[in-house]
Amino acid sequence: MSLYGEMSVCLPLIGRAGNGVSSAFQHTSSFYWAKMSITSDEVNFLVYRYLQESGFSHSAFTFGIESHISQSNINGTLVPPAALISILQKGLQYVEAEISINEDGTVFDGRPIESLSLIDAVMPDVVQTRQQAFRDKLAQQQATCTITASTSGIQSNVPKNGEATVNGEENGTHNMNNHSEPMEIDVDVEIPASKATVLRGHESEVFICAWNPVSDLLASGSGDSTARIWNLNENNNSTQLVLRHCIREGGQDVPSNKDVTSLDWNSDGTLLATGSYDGFARIWTKDGNLASTLGQHKGPIFALKWNKKGNCILSAGVDKTTIIWDAHTGEAKQQFPFHSAPALDVDWQNNTTFASCSTDMCIHVCRLGSDRPLKTFQGHTNEVNAIKWDPSGMLLASCSDDMTLKIWSMKQESCVHDLQAHSKEIYTIKWSPTGPSTNNPNANIMLASASFDSTVRLWDVERGVCIHTLTRHQEPVYSVAFSPDGKHLASGSFDKCVHIWNTTTGALVHSYRGTGGIFEVCWNSTGDKVGASASDGSVCVLDLRK
């Protein structure tokens, strides 16, 4: 998502006024006065959360910095998802109700002629015109009813079928909210509560989670400026190590108050690397001790990956650069300044060669020791959100805000496949752990894509066709992950649901509804547990063992 695309909308709200902006609000019918206090901190926080939930994560970061979100005393875990939209809907409903109130305070027995748009509702002339039209039509209807009643002796307000009416609506059940109810989860696929362990401890959104590759340790990264390592035993009792991300100020360590948004275990599970919006990468032992702090980026780190050998870490930042770090010394081995805008994602092809993507719409393939890209892929028409090499390292997949996936090969300049089917931005992609160079060599390789159109798609990359469209989510899908055998796919959405799909048939086989929007899903190494991190600060572990 764009770092700067939404700032023209956000900037007028920025500014931390010390005093609340008080406003007296009088009910139109003069029944009561309601006094409200709205602070700029509160408005800024709701806008910040809206940007995060809408996928504008980098815009949210910039807005959060300039509006000093970290300095507010608002507990983000208590604010429900879609809070800004919810309060706007209620305000819109109030304006619609206001239209149906007489000048003397009595309520018209009827409804507005047509619903208002949000923009109409803030334009006094439109509201006044709509109110007058409503009154004129109501007066005409009342005149007609009076004539009818006087000539035929029939009362004009007789309830239909003997049912009571309230304000002209049968049973008083008119619903002014257009949002559909959450989709019911089928009983036969619903994961019971006894198979779900909810881990509490984070004090803000949990953006990412990752299983240790050799043990059942689950790492998570949050907006509370901590990462945590959770240890679950057989009795589902958990312990947590808190990895506090601090910076040096005035000769002492103080919390950075910046989001931890990327983390990755090394291949033998002994070390955890984290990336933060404070501009530092850090290496931790699995016991939670800080081993190294890597500081050369000038601004937030958006992505971070270990190479397979475990001797290097690769990071991407808002400063338009990517850096390869020496994992043993903590020193930067090489910085690559080839992008013209923030670098959003990186992925290793092998132990010394990697690809990077950016909001500049370009993909560079670079190698340690080389002072220029080995290859530059161009073809996307909007920022490139994620890139992934296939298990063999032969093909590179990319996804973009231009709603396409593209498959690239080092053997040619143009893309091998241009996959177009999603109707909104594609947030992330994952290759299945199948085919040549994997533990499942006899199974066909697939690519999964997660989109803001609320769908997940499975692709046959060899043929360049979509083989399954998974449609049970109702909100943007932020994460997908294949099981180690490639037979199942987990997906997580802001509809609070984690779905588990059969990759052969496309059937939904397991489903769980959590308490917050899902940012990340991941499988443990044995393929019997799925971890999920959520917007309400929770981390959930789903036990899929029979």
Side-chain angles (χ1 to χ4, degrees):
M1 300 299 109
S2 173
L3 179 64
Y4 301 110
E6 302 304 304
M7 291 312 296
S8 61
V9 178
C10 303
L11 283 171
L13 295 171
I14 293 172
R16 304 187 74 251
N19 300 318
V21 182
S22 297
S23 61
F25 207 90
Q26 187 179 19
H27 193 280
T28 309
S29 61
S30 303
F31 289 147
Y32 63 86
W33 285 80
K35 200 166 188 177
M36 299 186 298
S37 176
I38 302 174
T39 68
S40 59
D41 275 355
E42 292 169 333
V43 176
N44 288 339
F45 184 83
L46 292 181
V47 172
Y48 172 74
R49 283 289 293 270
Y50 167 77
L51 289 172
Q52 281 189 327
E53 293 166 3
S54 299
F56 300 110
S57 55
H58 310 119
S59 299
F61 162 75
T62 304
F63 181 73
I65 291 294
E66 296 192 14
S67 59
H68 304 283
I69 290 296
S70 63
Q71 298 177 26
S72 74
N73 59 0
I74 298 170
N75 185 348
T77 61
L78 301 179
V79 180
L84 180 61
I85 300 301
S86 176
I87 200 69
L88 287 174
Q89 284 178 328
K90 290 177 182 177
L92 190 57
Q93 292 169 12
Y94 179 87
V95 175
E96 285 190 346
E98 193 177 39
I99 288 176
S100 64
I101 295 175
N102 263 317
E103 292 178 349
D104 62 0
T106 59
V107 180
F108 288 132
D109 188 14
R111 294 205 67 249
I113 297 169
E114 58 179 299
S115 60
L116 287 168
S117 73
L118 189 59
I119 297 301
D120 286 345
V122 298
M123 299 173 67
D125 290 346
V126 173
V127 173
Q128 188 174 7
T129 301
R130 193 70 59 80
Q131 189 172 34
Q132 188 58 50
F134 179 57
R135 288 173 178 170
D136 291 346
K137 184 168 183 177
L138 209 58
Q140 184 180 3
Q141 290 173 344
Q142 287 172 342
T144 302
C145 289
T146 301
I147 294 171
T148 304
S150 61
T151 56
S152 60
I154 300 175
Q155 290 186 343
S156 62
N157 207 18
V158 176
K160 291 186 287 184
N161 299 326
E163 295 175 341
T165 65
V166 178
N167 288 343
E169 296 296 326
E170 294 181 26
N171 298 321
T173 58
H174 176 74
N175 184 6
M176 298 179 75
N177 191 341
N178 292 327
H179 276 288
S180 58
E181 292 297 315
M183 185 178 291
E184 291 298 322
I185 296 177
D186 297 337
V187 176
D188 55 343
V189 300
E190 183 175 7
I191 296 174
S194 61
K195 290 288 188 177
T197 303
V198 179
L199 308 173
R200 302 277 182 186
H202 281 296
E203 298 171 2
S204 188
E205 303 93 340
V206 187
F207 298 112
I208 193 164
C209 58
W211 288 99
N212 185 294
V214 297
S215 64
D216 267 2
L217 298 176
L218 180 64
S220 57
S222 168
D224 63 7
S225 73
T226 74
R228 298 180 190 232
I229 298 176
W230 308 85
N231 190 353
L232 279 74
N233 60 29
E234 287 301 316
N235 297 321
N236 281 339
N237 295 320
S238 65
T239 59
Q240 60 175 303
L241 300 172
V242 181
L243 283 50
R244 302 191 184 279
H245 288 57
C246 297
I247 55 176
R248 199 76 177 165
E249 280 187 4
Q252 55 184 333
D253 292 334
V254 297
S256 70
N257 292 324
K258 298 293 187 296
D259 300 349
V260 179
T261 55
S262 53
L263 50 80
D264 193 34
W265 291 96
N266 67 348
S267 57
D268 63 8
T270 56
L271 297 171
L272 176 72
T274 61
S276 169
Y277 272 14
D278 65 11
F280 292 95
R282 294 170 175 84
I283 302 175
W284 311 79
T285 69
K286 66 177 182 179
D287 299 321
N289 297 313
L290 181 62
S292 299
T293 299
L294 319 177
Q296 190 160 310
H297 277 294
K298 292 180 173 62
I301 294 172
F302 292 146
L304 174 132
K305 301 276 176 63
W306 286 90
N307 66 352
K308 190 172 183 179
K309 189 176 179 180
N311 63 331
C312 292
I313 293 172
L314 174 63
S315 60
V318 72
D319 60 6
K320 311 175 189 178
T321 74
T322 54
I323 300 177
I324 292 180
W325 307 85
D326 187 316
H328 303 301
T329 66
E331 299 296 321
K333 294 170 74 74
Q334 187 173 348
Q335 189 163 17
F336 302 83
F338 304 130
H339 285 293
S340 60
L344 299 183
D345 196 19
V346 286
D347 197 39
W348 291 98
Q349 183 188 30
N350 53 47
N351 284 314
T352 57
T353 305
F354 70 92
S356 62
C357 65
S358 165
T359 63
D360 66 8
M361 302 181 284
C362 291
I363 299 165
H364 294 309
V365 180
C366 302
R367 178 176 294 154
L368 181 64
S370 179
D371 60 358
R372 64 184 62 186
L374 304 180
K375 197 90 168 180
T376 295
F377 295 122
Q378 292 179 297
H380 282 295
T381 58
N382 209 327
E383 54 201 64
V384 186
N385 293 320
I387 46 172
K388 294 288 183 295
W389 291 99
D390 78 338
S392 70
M394 299 297 291
L395 297 175
L396 179 69
S398 61
C399 66
S400 168
D401 278 3
D402 66 11
M403 302 182 287
T404 72
L405 297 98
K406 299 186 191 299
I407 309 298
W408 311 87
S409 168
M410 292 294 285
K411 297 178 181 179
Q412 64 185 66
E413 299 297 323
S414 59
C415 63
V416 178
H417 292 298
D418 184 6
L419 307 177
Q420 302 183 27
H422 285 292
S423 60
K424 288 188 178 179
E425 300 93 331
I426 305 171
Y427 192 72
T428 194
I429 45 178
K430 291 285 173 63
W431 291 95
S432 61
T434 52
S437 305
T438 72
N439 294 327
N440 312 292
N442 298 322
N444 292 329
I445 191 167
M446 289 178 287
L447 182 68
S449 56
S451 171
F452 283 5
D453 65 11
S454 305
T455 71
V456 174
R457 288 180 179 265
L458 286 172
W459 303 84
D460 179 328
V461 177
E462 288 186 5
R463 293 186 294 146
V465 297
C466 178
I467 51 179
H468 294 299
T469 303
L470 314 178
T471 60
R472 293 294 292 271
H473 285 297
Q474 293 183 293
E475 297 288 344
V477 185
Y478 279 87
S479 181
V480 285
F482 282 96
S483 60
D485 61 8
K487 294 180 179 179
H488 293 93
L489 181 78
S491 60
S493 163
F494 230 71
D495 62 8
K496 304 181 183 180
C497 289
V498 176
H499 293 327
I500 312 293
W501 313 84
N502 181 305
T503 56
T504 302
T505 65
L508 181 65
V509 293
H510 297 295
S511 194
Y512 173 78
R513 178 174 287 121
T515 54
I518 307 297
F519 280 118
E520 186 82 11
V521 291
C522 56
W523 293 81
N524 67 345
S525 59
T526 53
D528 55 21
K529 291 178 184 175
V530 170
S533 59
S535 62
D536 67 343
S538 64
V539 178
C540 185
V541 175
L542 307 178
D543 189 343
L544 302 181
R545 292 175 293 184
K546 297 295 184 183

